[in-house]
Amino acid sequence: MGVKGFVEGGIASIVAGCSTHPLDLIKVRMQLQGESNSAAARAPQPIHNLRPAFAFNSHSATLVGPPPPPPAPPARAGPISVGVRIVRTEGVAALYSGVSATVLRQTLYSTTRMGLYEALKVQWADPNTGNLPLTRKILAGLVAGGVGAAVGNPADVAMVRMQAGGRDYKNVVDAITKMARSEGIVSLWRGSSLTVNRAMIVTASQLASYDQIKEAILDRHLMKDGLGTHVTASFAAGFVASVASNPIDVIKTRVMNMKVEPGREPPYCGALDCALKTVRAEGPMALYKGFIPTISRQGPFTVVLFVTLEQLRKVLKDF
């Protein structure tokens, strides 16, 4: 396999990432919905100085009643509403905010995971039949995803920051530079444990399920090895990956998006703290925020990824 698998996987991933970037941006915005309200609810309330009603200089006393009830959280906006709001308030170009980070992320993360997965498949396949059991495919995906995520985490953090809005980043290099200067080099690997866990789950579920479903279709002669098989297997793989990864993706997005200011306590102490605070403030289903745009993005992304990959394999088979 050599370098060829890395090149094919990298090109296919960049094409897929750029094609579905607006859906990914909408997913990030939806995952951050309600976060500011829940953070405000956790903030300590000011302590009022209560004075006796008949104290001297009572004209200066302040009568303090019960604190007003917290404002009701705004209604959850759907993916279409979020997309329309972005276009109206920020312009059409805003749908591609952070696309430079997407390109860098796919170049680092996906090139590594796709190439390493193919190399492990060849290494671990049965030497007599060339077949690879599902368990080994999953293991290969876990290893490849973890390594790829560790390599691409700085670009992932920059992409989330740029997609979330509210920060003045010109491009991915500017974002990484500013984060490193203001928050330290370590901030580039913020949420790396979540990124690695998510990548392991996504890669294992996405790549292993694609190969398994494609093999099942061909073995049962349901379809020929062509575009129809590739689209069917890839869309099914995208659904599996979305269901498995969405909760981790929500927590990852929130941890990466938080800005830690000197002298102030960070909103979250880590992944587990973020998960617990999110569930307490917004309910368990908050972990599936953005699922519709996730599957809407993961489905097309996986289809474009594997269809492009299969075509590249045909073109580059003689190299």
Side-chain angles (χ1 to χ4, degrees), residues 109 113-114 116-118 120-121 124 132 134-149 196-209 211:
Y109 159 62
R113 74 172 184 130
M114 297 288 287
L116 186 56
Y117 176 77
E118 291 298 324
L120 291 174
K121 276 173 56 181
W124 294 348
L132 189 70
L134 178 59
T135 52
R136 291 190 182 182
K137 290 174 186 170
I138 294 174
L139 181 59
L142 292 172
V143 173
V147 174
V196 169
N197 290 336
R198 177 189 179 276
M200 291 173 69
I201 291 173
V202 168
T203 304
S205 57
Q206 184 186 65
L207 302 188
S209 61
D211 283 342

PDB file of all heavy atoms in Angstrom, residues 109 113-114 116-118 120-121 124 132 134-149 196-209 211:
ATOM      1  N   TYR A 109      -5.393  15.046   9.775  1.00  0.00           N
ATOM      2  CA  TYR A 109      -6.147  13.996  10.466  1.00  0.00           C
ATOM      3  C   TYR A 109      -6.581  12.877   9.518  1.00  0.00           C
ATOM      4  O   TYR A 109      -6.256  11.698   9.721  1.00  0.00           O
ATOM      5  CB  TYR A 109      -7.350  14.631  11.161  1.00  0.00           C
ATOM      6  CG  TYR A 109      -8.484  13.697  11.491  1.00  0.00           C
ATOM      7  CD1 TYR A 109      -8.311  12.624  12.363  1.00  0.00           C
ATOM      8  CD2 TYR A 109      -9.749  13.903  10.950  1.00  0.00           C
ATOM      9  CE1 TYR A 109      -9.365  11.777  12.679  1.00  0.00           C
ATOM     10  CE2 TYR A 109     -10.804  13.064  11.259  1.00  0.00           C
ATOM     11  CZ  TYR A 109     -10.611  12.001  12.120  1.00  0.00           C
ATOM     12  OH  TYR A 109     -11.652  11.173  12.419  1.00  0.00           O
ATOM     13  N   ARG A 113      -5.377   8.923   9.161  1.00  0.00           N
ATOM     14  CA  ARG A 113      -6.264   7.814   9.543  1.00  0.00           C
ATOM     15  C   ARG A 113      -6.622   6.921   8.363  1.00  0.00           C
ATOM     16  O   ARG A 113      -6.656   5.699   8.490  1.00  0.00           O
ATOM     17  CB  ARG A 113      -7.530   8.347  10.214  1.00  0.00           C
ATOM     18  CG  ARG A 113      -8.532   9.000   9.281  1.00  0.00           C
ATOM     19  CD  ARG A 113      -9.843   9.323   9.974  1.00  0.00           C
ATOM     20  NE  ARG A 113     -10.796   9.862   9.005  1.00  0.00           N
ATOM     21  CZ  ARG A 113     -12.045   9.420   8.869  1.00  0.00           C
ATOM     22  NH1 ARG A 113     -12.498   8.442   9.612  1.00  0.00           N
ATOM     23  NH2 ARG A 113     -12.847   9.972   7.978  1.00  0.00           N
ATOM     24  N   MET A 114      -6.866   7.525   7.196  1.00  0.00           N
ATOM     25  CA  MET A 114      -7.240   6.721   6.027  1.00  0.00           C
ATOM     26  C   MET A 114      -6.066   5.865   5.556  1.00  0.00           C
ATOM     27  O   MET A 114      -6.209   4.675   5.275  1.00  0.00           O
ATOM     28  CB  MET A 114      -7.715   7.630   4.898  1.00  0.00           C
ATOM     29  CG  MET A 114      -8.966   8.429   5.215  1.00  0.00           C
ATOM     30  SD  MET A 114     -10.474   7.452   5.281  1.00  0.00           S
ATOM     31  CE  MET A 114     -10.733   7.102   3.550  1.00  0.00           C
ATOM     32  N   LEU A 116      -3.334   4.979   7.300  1.00  0.00           N
ATOM     33  CA  LEU A 116      -2.945   3.996   8.312  1.00  0.00           C
ATOM     34  C   LEU A 116      -3.938   2.841   8.369  1.00  0.00           C
ATOM     35  O   LEU A 116      -3.545   1.676   8.550  1.00  0.00           O
ATOM     36  CB  LEU A 116      -2.847   4.681   9.675  1.00  0.00           C
ATOM     37  CG  LEU A 116      -2.315   3.833  10.836  1.00  0.00           C
ATOM     38  CD1 LEU A 116      -0.949   3.255  10.508  1.00  0.00           C
ATOM     39  CD2 LEU A 116      -2.257   4.662  12.122  1.00  0.00           C
ATOM     40  N   TYR A 117      -5.223   3.139   8.199  1.00  0.00           N
ATOM     41  CA  TYR A 117      -6.244   2.080   8.195  1.00  0.00           C
ATOM     42  C   TYR A 117      -5.999   1.099   7.053  1.00  0.00           C
ATOM     43  O   TYR A 117      -6.057  -0.121   7.236  1.00  0.00           O
ATOM     44  CB  TYR A 117      -7.637   2.707   8.074  1.00  0.00           C
ATOM     45  CG  TYR A 117      -8.764   1.697   7.970  1.00  0.00           C
ATOM     46  CD1 TYR A 117      -9.221   1.011   9.091  1.00  0.00           C
ATOM     47  CD2 TYR A 117      -9.370   1.438   6.745  1.00  0.00           C
ATOM     48  CE1 TYR A 117     -10.258   0.090   8.992  1.00  0.00           C
ATOM     49  CE2 TYR A 117     -10.407   0.520   6.639  1.00  0.00           C
ATOM     50  CZ  TYR A 117     -10.844  -0.144   7.768  1.00  0.00           C
ATOM     51  OH  TYR A 117     -11.874  -1.067   7.658  1.00  0.00           O
ATOM     52  N   GLU A 118      -5.721   1.619   5.874  1.00  0.00           N
ATOM     53  CA  GLU A 118      -5.463   0.749   4.721  1.00  0.00           C
ATOM     54  C   GLU A 118      -4.199  -0.076   4.944  1.00  0.00           C
ATOM     55  O   GLU A 118      -4.149  -1.262   4.590  1.00  0.00           O
ATOM     56  CB  GLU A 118      -5.334   1.588   3.447  1.00  0.00           C
ATOM     57  CG  GLU A 118      -6.630   2.240   2.978  1.00  0.00           C
ATOM     58  CD  GLU A 118      -7.700   1.207   2.628  1.00  0.00           C
ATOM     59  OE1 GLU A 118      -7.339   0.137   2.102  1.00  0.00           O
ATOM     60  OE2 GLU A 118      -8.885   1.474   2.887  1.00  0.00           O
ATOM     61  N   LEU A 120      -2.938  -1.037   7.844  1.00  0.00           N
ATOM     62  CA  LEU A 120      -3.220  -2.054   8.848  1.00  0.00           C
ATOM     63  C   LEU A 120      -4.081  -3.173   8.271  1.00  0.00           C
ATOM     64  O   LEU A 120      -3.925  -4.343   8.644  1.00  0.00           O
ATOM     65  CB  LEU A 120      -3.906  -1.414  10.062  1.00  0.00           C
ATOM     66  CG  LEU A 120      -3.036  -0.481  10.909  1.00  0.00           C
ATOM     67  CD1 LEU A 120      -3.867   0.189  11.993  1.00  0.00           C
ATOM     68  CD2 LEU A 120      -1.870  -1.246  11.531  1.00  0.00           C
ATOM     69  N   LYS A 121      -4.984  -2.828   7.373  1.00  0.00           N
ATOM     70  CA  LYS A 121      -5.812  -3.854   6.729  1.00  0.00           C
ATOM     71  C   LYS A 121      -4.940  -4.848   5.967  1.00  0.00           C
ATOM     72  O   LYS A 121      -5.143  -6.066   6.039  1.00  0.00           O
ATOM     73  CB  LYS A 121      -6.810  -3.207   5.762  1.00  0.00           C
ATOM     74  CG  LYS A 121      -8.088  -2.709   6.411  1.00  0.00           C
ATOM     75  CD  LYS A 121      -8.960  -1.937   5.429  1.00  0.00           C
ATOM     76  CE  LYS A 121      -9.295  -2.768   4.199  1.00  0.00           C
ATOM     77  NZ  LYS A 121     -10.129  -2.008   3.242  1.00  0.00           N
ATOM     78  N   TRP A 124      -2.841  -6.930   8.579  1.00  0.00           N
ATOM     79  CA  TRP A 124      -3.567  -7.860   9.436  1.00  0.00           C
ATOM     80  C   TRP A 124      -4.475  -8.833   8.678  1.00  0.00           C
ATOM     81  O   TRP A 124      -5.141  -9.652   9.301  1.00  0.00           O
ATOM     82  CB  TRP A 124      -4.401  -7.079  10.447  1.00  0.00           C
ATOM     83  CG  TRP A 124      -3.567  -6.312  11.440  1.00  0.00           C
ATOM     84  CD1 TRP A 124      -2.224  -6.443  11.646  1.00  0.00           C
ATOM     85  CD2 TRP A 124      -4.024  -5.300  12.348  1.00  0.00           C
ATOM     86  NE1 TRP A 124      -1.804  -5.580  12.623  1.00  0.00           N
ATOM     87  CE2 TRP A 124      -2.876  -4.862  13.088  1.00  0.00           C
ATOM     88  CE3 TRP A 124      -5.257  -4.733  12.629  1.00  0.00           C
ATOM     89  CZ2 TRP A 124      -2.952  -3.876  14.059  1.00  0.00           C
ATOM     90  CZ3 TRP A 124      -5.340  -3.750  13.610  1.00  0.00           C
ATOM     91  CH2 TRP A 124      -4.205  -3.331  14.315  1.00  0.00           C
ATOM     92  N   LEU A 132     -10.298  -9.886   5.986  1.00  0.00           N
ATOM     93  CA  LEU A 132     -10.046  -9.290   7.296  1.00  0.00           C
ATOM     94  C   LEU A 132     -11.331  -9.358   8.108  1.00  0.00           C
ATOM     95  O   LEU A 132     -12.350  -8.795   7.697  1.00  0.00           O
ATOM     96  CB  LEU A 132      -9.593  -7.831   7.151  1.00  0.00           C
ATOM     97  CG  LEU A 132      -9.089  -7.140   8.421  1.00  0.00           C
ATOM     98  CD1 LEU A 132      -7.754  -7.725   8.859  1.00  0.00           C
ATOM     99  CD2 LEU A 132      -8.941  -5.637   8.181  1.00  0.00           C
ATOM    100  N   LEU A 134     -14.281  -8.656  10.889  1.00  0.00           N
ATOM    101  CA  LEU A 134     -14.839  -7.374  11.346  1.00  0.00           C
ATOM    102  C   LEU A 134     -14.120  -6.867  12.589  1.00  0.00           C
ATOM    103  O   LEU A 134     -13.862  -5.665  12.712  1.00  0.00           O
ATOM    104  CB  LEU A 134     -16.337  -7.527  11.630  1.00  0.00           C
ATOM    105  CG  LEU A 134     -17.053  -6.276  12.158  1.00  0.00           C
ATOM    106  CD1 LEU A 134     -16.930  -5.121  11.183  1.00  0.00           C
ATOM    107  CD2 LEU A 134     -18.517  -6.581  12.455  1.00  0.00           C
ATOM    108  N   THR A 135     -13.784  -7.751  13.513  1.00  0.00           N
ATOM    109  CA  THR A 135     -13.110  -7.314  14.743  1.00  0.00           C
ATOM    110  C   THR A 135     -11.775  -6.650  14.442  1.00  0.00           C
ATOM    111  O   THR A 135     -11.403  -5.658  15.076  1.00  0.00           O
ATOM    112  CB  THR A 135     -12.889  -8.507  15.679  1.00  0.00           C
ATOM    113  OG1 THR A 135     -12.233  -9.566  14.966  1.00  0.00           O
ATOM    114  CG2 THR A 135     -14.215  -9.024  16.224  1.00  0.00           C
ATOM    115  N   ARG A 136     -11.041  -7.186  13.468  1.00  0.00           N
ATOM    116  CA  ARG A 136      -9.756  -6.576  13.109  1.00  0.00           C
ATOM    117  C   ARG A 136      -9.958  -5.261  12.360  1.00  0.00           C
ATOM    118  O   ARG A 136      -9.145  -4.346  12.472  1.00  0.00           O
ATOM    119  CB  ARG A 136      -8.931  -7.551  12.264  1.00  0.00           C
ATOM    120  CG  ARG A 136      -8.443  -8.760  13.045  1.00  0.00           C
ATOM    121  CD  ARG A 136      -7.436  -9.566  12.253  1.00  0.00           C
ATOM    122  NE  ARG A 136      -7.007 -10.758  12.984  1.00  0.00           N
ATOM    123  CZ  ARG A 136      -6.106 -11.618  12.533  1.00  0.00           C
ATOM    124  NH1 ARG A 136      -5.546 -11.433  11.333  1.00  0.00           N
ATOM    125  NH2 ARG A 136      -5.760 -12.668  13.253  1.00  0.00           N
ATOM    126  N   LYS A 137     -11.035  -5.170  11.577  1.00  0.00           N
ATOM    127  CA  LYS A 137     -11.341  -3.900  10.914  1.00  0.00           C
ATOM    128  C   LYS A 137     -11.623  -2.823  11.949  1.00  0.00           C
ATOM    129  O   LYS A 137     -11.157  -1.681  11.829  1.00  0.00           O
ATOM    130  CB  LYS A 137     -12.557  -4.068   9.992  1.00  0.00           C
ATOM    131  CG  LYS A 137     -12.308  -4.906   8.751  1.00  0.00           C
ATOM    132  CD  LYS A 137     -13.607  -5.124   8.006  1.00  0.00           C
ATOM    133  CE  LYS A 137     -13.410  -6.095   6.840  1.00  0.00           C
ATOM    134  NZ  LYS A 137     -14.687  -6.506   6.233  1.00  0.00           N
ATOM    135  N   ILE A 138     -12.406  -3.182  12.966  1.00  0.00           N
ATOM    136  CA  ILE A 138     -12.716  -2.226  14.033  1.00  0.00           C
ATOM    137  C   ILE A 138     -11.451  -1.813  14.774  1.00  0.00           C
ATOM    138  O   ILE A 138     -11.233  -0.625  15.055  1.00  0.00           O
ATOM    139  CB  ILE A 138     -13.744  -2.830  15.003  1.00  0.00           C
ATOM    140  CG1 ILE A 138     -15.087  -3.023  14.291  1.00  0.00           C
ATOM    141  CG2 ILE A 138     -13.915  -1.948  16.242  1.00  0.00           C
ATOM    142  CD1 ILE A 138     -16.130  -3.760  15.122  1.00  0.00           C
ATOM    143  N   LEU A 139     -10.595  -2.786  15.079  1.00  0.00           N
ATOM    144  CA  LEU A 139      -9.345  -2.486  15.773  1.00  0.00           C
ATOM    145  C   LEU A 139      -8.457  -1.582  14.923  1.00  0.00           C
ATOM    146  O   LEU A 139      -7.846  -0.629  15.434  1.00  0.00           O
ATOM    147  CB  LEU A 139      -8.611  -3.784  16.116  1.00  0.00           C
ATOM    148  CG  LEU A 139      -7.290  -3.630  16.881  1.00  0.00           C
ATOM    149  CD1 LEU A 139      -7.526  -2.904  18.205  1.00  0.00           C
ATOM    150  CD2 LEU A 139      -6.644  -4.995  17.123  1.00  0.00           C
ATOM    151  N   ALA A 140      -8.388  -1.861  13.633  1.00  0.00           N
ATOM    152  CA  ALA A 140      -7.601  -1.009  12.729  1.00  0.00           C
ATOM    153  C   ALA A 140      -8.144   0.409  12.712  1.00  0.00           C
ATOM    154  O   ALA A 140      -7.386   1.392  12.702  1.00  0.00           O
ATOM    155  CB  ALA A 140      -7.606  -1.600  11.319  1.00  0.00           C
ATOM    156  N   GLY A 141      -9.488   0.533  12.729  1.00  0.00           N
ATOM    157  CA  GLY A 141     -10.100   1.855  12.752  1.00  0.00           C
ATOM    158  C   GLY A 141      -9.820   2.604  14.038  1.00  0.00           C
ATOM    159  O   GLY A 141      -9.571   3.815  14.032  1.00  0.00           O
ATOM    160  N   LEU A 142      -9.844   1.888  15.158  1.00  0.00           N
ATOM    161  CA  LEU A 142      -9.558   2.520  16.445  1.00  0.00           C
ATOM    162  C   LEU A 142      -8.133   3.064  16.492  1.00  0.00           C
ATOM    163  O   LEU A 142      -7.894   4.204  16.913  1.00  0.00           O
ATOM    164  CB  LEU A 142      -9.772   1.514  17.577  1.00  0.00           C
ATOM    165  CG  LEU A 142     -11.212   1.061  17.839  1.00  0.00           C
ATOM    166  CD1 LEU A 142     -11.235  -0.074  18.854  1.00  0.00           C
ATOM    167  CD2 LEU A 142     -12.071   2.224  18.331  1.00  0.00           C
ATOM    168  N   VAL A 143      -7.187   2.258  16.038  1.00  0.00           N
ATOM    169  CA  VAL A 143      -5.776   2.676  16.047  1.00  0.00           C
ATOM    170  C   VAL A 143      -5.556   3.846  15.087  1.00  0.00           C
ATOM    171  O   VAL A 143      -4.950   4.877  15.447  1.00  0.00           O
ATOM    172  CB  VAL A 143      -4.855   1.497  15.673  1.00  0.00           C
ATOM    173  CG1 VAL A 143      -3.406   1.978  15.518  1.00  0.00           C
ATOM    174  CG2 VAL A 143      -4.937   0.393  16.724  1.00  0.00           C
ATOM    175  N   ALA A 144      -6.060   3.722  13.865  1.00  0.00           N
ATOM    176  CA  ALA A 144      -5.863   4.758  12.850  1.00  0.00           C
ATOM    177  C   ALA A 144      -6.525   6.064  13.259  1.00  0.00           C
ATOM    178  O   ALA A 144      -5.948   7.149  13.095  1.00  0.00           O
ATOM    179  CB  ALA A 144      -6.421   4.282  11.505  1.00  0.00           C
ATOM    180  N   GLY A 145      -7.734   5.984  13.807  1.00  0.00           N
ATOM    181  CA  GLY A 145      -8.430   7.194  14.235  1.00  0.00           C
ATOM    182  C   GLY A 145      -7.727   7.899  15.366  1.00  0.00           C
ATOM    183  O   GLY A 145      -7.620   9.138  15.376  1.00  0.00           O
ATOM    184  N   GLY A 146      -7.221   7.146  16.339  1.00  0.00           N
ATOM    185  CA  GLY A 146      -6.529   7.748  17.464  1.00  0.00           C
ATOM    186  C   GLY A 146      -5.260   8.466  17.050  1.00  0.00           C
ATOM    187  O   GLY A 146      -5.006   9.602  17.471  1.00  0.00           O
ATOM    188  N   VAL A 147      -4.479   7.848  16.193  1.00  0.00           N
ATOM    189  CA  VAL A 147      -3.229   8.468  15.724  1.00  0.00           C
ATOM    190  C   VAL A 147      -3.531   9.711  14.889  1.00  0.00           C
ATOM    191  O   VAL A 147      -2.902  10.765  15.061  1.00  0.00           O
ATOM    192  CB  VAL A 147      -2.399   7.460  14.907  1.00  0.00           C
ATOM    193  CG1 VAL A 147      -1.169   8.144  14.302  1.00  0.00           C
ATOM    194  CG2 VAL A 147      -1.967   6.281  15.780  1.00  0.00           C
ATOM    195  N   GLY A 148      -4.505   9.598  13.993  1.00  0.00           N
ATOM    196  CA  GLY A 148      -4.861  10.737  13.142  1.00  0.00           C
ATOM    197  C   GLY A 148      -5.349  11.930  13.947  1.00  0.00           C
ATOM    198  O   GLY A 148      -5.002  13.076  13.655  1.00  0.00           O
ATOM    199  N   ALA A 149      -6.152  11.671  14.979  1.00  0.00           N
ATOM    200  CA  ALA A 149      -6.688  12.758  15.801  1.00  0.00           C
ATOM    201  C   ALA A 149      -5.595  13.478  16.569  1.00  0.00           C
ATOM    202  O   ALA A 149      -5.616  14.704  16.708  1.00  0.00           O
ATOM    203  CB  ALA A 149      -7.725  12.206  16.769  1.00  0.00           C
ATOM    204  N   VAL A 196      -9.470  12.384  20.247  1.00  0.00           N
ATOM    205  CA  VAL A 196      -8.958  11.035  20.004  1.00  0.00           C
ATOM    206  C   VAL A 196     -10.073   9.996  20.175  1.00  0.00           C
ATOM    207  O   VAL A 196     -10.244   9.105  19.330  1.00  0.00           O
ATOM    208  CB  VAL A 196      -7.782  10.728  20.954  1.00  0.00           C
ATOM    209  CG1 VAL A 196      -7.412   9.254  20.898  1.00  0.00           C
ATOM    210  CG2 VAL A 196      -6.569  11.593  20.590  1.00  0.00           C
ATOM    211  N   ASN A 197     -10.862  10.133  21.250  1.00  0.00           N
ATOM    212  CA  ASN A 197     -11.952   9.180  21.476  1.00  0.00           C
ATOM    213  C   ASN A 197     -12.976   9.228  20.353  1.00  0.00           C
ATOM    214  O   ASN A 197     -13.438   8.186  19.867  1.00  0.00           O
ATOM    215  CB  ASN A 197     -12.649   9.485  22.813  1.00  0.00           C
ATOM    216  CG  ASN A 197     -11.777   9.147  23.999  1.00  0.00           C
ATOM    217  OD1 ASN A 197     -10.885   8.312  23.906  1.00  0.00           O
ATOM    218  ND2 ASN A 197     -12.004   9.803  25.121  1.00  0.00           N
ATOM    219  N   ARG A 198     -13.340  10.453  19.949  1.00  0.00           N
ATOM    220  CA  ARG A 198     -14.314  10.591  18.868  1.00  0.00           C
ATOM    221  C   ARG A 198     -13.772  10.019  17.570  1.00  0.00           C
ATOM    222  O   ARG A 198     -14.465   9.308  16.840  1.00  0.00           O
ATOM    223  CB  ARG A 198     -14.681  12.064  18.673  1.00  0.00           C
ATOM    224  CG  ARG A 198     -15.652  12.286  17.512  1.00  0.00           C
ATOM    225  CD  ARG A 198     -15.817  13.765  17.200  1.00  0.00           C
ATOM    226  NE  ARG A 198     -16.715  13.949  16.078  1.00  0.00           N
ATOM    227  CZ  ARG A 198     -16.371  13.886  14.797  1.00  0.00           C
ATOM    228  NH1 ARG A 198     -15.096  13.618  14.478  1.00  0.00           N
ATOM    229  NH2 ARG A 198     -17.246  14.072  13.836  1.00  0.00           N
ATOM    230  N   ALA A 199     -12.516  10.345  17.270  1.00  0.00           N
ATOM    231  CA  ALA A 199     -11.917   9.879  16.019  1.00  0.00           C
ATOM    232  C   ALA A 199     -11.817   8.358  15.977  1.00  0.00           C
ATOM    233  O   ALA A 199     -12.015   7.739  14.923  1.00  0.00           O
ATOM    234  CB  ALA A 199     -10.536  10.502  15.841  1.00  0.00           C
ATOM    235  N   MET A 200     -11.500   7.763  17.121  1.00  0.00           N
ATOM    236  CA  MET A 200     -11.432   6.305  17.178  1.00  0.00           C
ATOM    237  C   MET A 200     -12.801   5.686  16.896  1.00  0.00           C
ATOM    238  O   MET A 200     -12.926   4.731  16.118  1.00  0.00           O
ATOM    239  CB  MET A 200     -10.924   5.866  18.546  1.00  0.00           C
ATOM    240  CG  MET A 200      -9.465   6.209  18.805  1.00  0.00           C
ATOM    241  SD  MET A 200      -8.924   5.873  20.500  1.00  0.00           S
ATOM    242  CE  MET A 200      -8.954   4.090  20.516  1.00  0.00           C
ATOM    243  N   ILE A 201     -13.848   6.279  17.497  1.00  0.00           N
ATOM    244  CA  ILE A 201     -15.201   5.760  17.292  1.00  0.00           C
ATOM    245  C   ILE A 201     -15.657   5.989  15.857  1.00  0.00           C
ATOM    246  O   ILE A 201     -16.215   5.093  15.211  1.00  0.00           O
ATOM    247  CB  ILE A 201     -16.172   6.418  18.289  1.00  0.00           C
ATOM    248  CG1 ILE A 201     -15.860   5.939  19.708  1.00  0.00           C
ATOM    249  CG2 ILE A 201     -17.621   6.100  17.934  1.00  0.00           C
ATOM    250  CD1 ILE A 201     -16.650   6.643  20.781  1.00  0.00           C
ATOM    251  N   VAL A 202     -15.437   7.210  15.343  1.00  0.00           N
ATOM    252  CA  VAL A 202     -15.863   7.523  13.976  1.00  0.00           C
ATOM    253  C   VAL A 202     -15.139   6.653  12.963  1.00  0.00           C
ATOM    254  O   VAL A 202     -15.758   6.068  12.060  1.00  0.00           O
ATOM    255  CB  VAL A 202     -15.621   9.013  13.659  1.00  0.00           C
ATOM    256  CG1 VAL A 202     -15.789   9.280  12.174  1.00  0.00           C
ATOM    257  CG2 VAL A 202     -16.588   9.887  14.444  1.00  0.00           C
ATOM    258  N   THR A 203     -13.825   6.556  13.099  1.00  0.00           N
ATOM    259  CA  THR A 203     -13.048   5.786  12.122  1.00  0.00           C
ATOM    260  C   THR A 203     -13.414   4.317  12.163  1.00  0.00           C
ATOM    261  O   THR A 203     -13.598   3.675  11.116  1.00  0.00           O
ATOM    262  CB  THR A 203     -11.535   5.971  12.382  1.00  0.00           C
ATOM    263  OG1 THR A 203     -11.223   7.368  12.348  1.00  0.00           O
ATOM    264  CG2 THR A 203     -10.716   5.258  11.319  1.00  0.00           C
ATOM    265  N   ALA A 204     -13.530   3.769  13.381  1.00  0.00           N
ATOM    266  CA  ALA A 204     -13.874   2.354  13.504  1.00  0.00           C
ATOM    267  C   ALA A 204     -15.260   2.077  12.945  1.00  0.00           C
ATOM    268  O   ALA A 204     -15.461   1.112  12.191  1.00  0.00           O
ATOM    269  CB  ALA A 204     -13.791   1.915  14.960  1.00  0.00           C
ATOM    270  N   SER A 205     -16.240   2.932  13.295  1.00  0.00           N
ATOM    271  CA  SER A 205     -17.608   2.694  12.838  1.00  0.00           C
ATOM    272  C   SER A 205     -17.775   3.019  11.357  1.00  0.00           C
ATOM    273  O   SER A 205     -18.470   2.302  10.634  1.00  0.00           O
ATOM    274  CB  SER A 205     -18.595   3.524  13.673  1.00  0.00           C
ATOM    275  OG  SER A 205     -18.280   4.901  13.608  1.00  0.00           O
ATOM    276  N   GLN A 206     -17.121   4.063  10.897  1.00  0.00           N
ATOM    277  CA  GLN A 206     -17.286   4.511   9.512  1.00  0.00           C
ATOM    278  C   GLN A 206     -16.556   3.601   8.523  1.00  0.00           C
ATOM    279  O   GLN A 206     -17.164   3.056   7.595  1.00  0.00           O
ATOM    280  CB  GLN A 206     -16.769   5.947   9.383  1.00  0.00           C
ATOM    281  CG  GLN A 206     -16.965   6.578   8.022  1.00  0.00           C
ATOM    282  CD  GLN A 206     -16.294   7.941   7.956  1.00  0.00           C
ATOM    283  OE1 GLN A 206     -15.068   8.044   8.041  1.00  0.00           O
ATOM    284  NE2 GLN A 206     -17.084   8.985   7.821  1.00  0.00           N
ATOM    285  N   LEU A 207     -15.254   3.410   8.719  1.00  0.00           N
ATOM    286  CA  LEU A 207     -14.473   2.641   7.755  1.00  0.00           C
ATOM    287  C   LEU A 207     -14.775   1.149   7.836  1.00  0.00           C
ATOM    288  O   LEU A 207     -14.914   0.467   6.805  1.00  0.00           O
ATOM    289  CB  LEU A 207     -12.978   2.888   7.965  1.00  0.00           C
ATOM    290  CG  LEU A 207     -12.498   4.348   7.865  1.00  0.00           C
ATOM    291  CD1 LEU A 207     -10.980   4.404   7.894  1.00  0.00           C
ATOM    292  CD2 LEU A 207     -13.021   5.020   6.611  1.00  0.00           C
ATOM    293  N   ALA A 208     -14.872   0.624   9.072  1.00  0.00           N
ATOM    294  CA  ALA A 208     -15.139  -0.802   9.222  1.00  0.00           C
ATOM    295  C   ALA A 208     -16.522  -1.164   8.712  1.00  0.00           C
ATOM    296  O   ALA A 208     -16.702  -2.189   8.028  1.00  0.00           O
ATOM    297  CB  ALA A 208     -14.999  -1.208  10.690  1.00  0.00           C
ATOM    298  N   SER A 209     -17.534  -0.330   9.024  1.00  0.00           N
ATOM    299  CA  SER A 209     -18.889  -0.636   8.565  1.00  0.00           C
ATOM    300  C   SER A 209     -19.003  -0.502   7.049  1.00  0.00           C
ATOM    301  O   SER A 209     -19.716  -1.283   6.404  1.00  0.00           O
ATOM    302  CB  SER A 209     -19.915   0.268   9.254  1.00  0.00           C
ATOM    303  OG  SER A 209     -19.671   1.623   8.971  1.00  0.00           O
ATOM    304  N   ASP A 211     -16.602  -1.087   4.802  1.00  0.00           N
ATOM    305  CA  ASP A 211     -16.004  -2.293   4.214  1.00  0.00           C
ATOM    306  C   ASP A 211     -16.896  -3.515   4.428  1.00  0.00           C
ATOM    307  O   ASP A 211     -17.086  -4.327   3.503  1.00  0.00           O
ATOM    308  CB  ASP A 211     -14.629  -2.550   4.850  1.00  0.00           C
ATOM    309  CG  ASP A 211     -13.558  -1.628   4.303  1.00  0.00           C
ATOM    310  OD1 ASP A 211     -13.776  -1.044   3.228  1.00  0.00           O
ATOM    311  OD2 ASP A 211     -12.508  -1.490   4.951  1.00  0.00           O
TER     312      ASP A 211
END
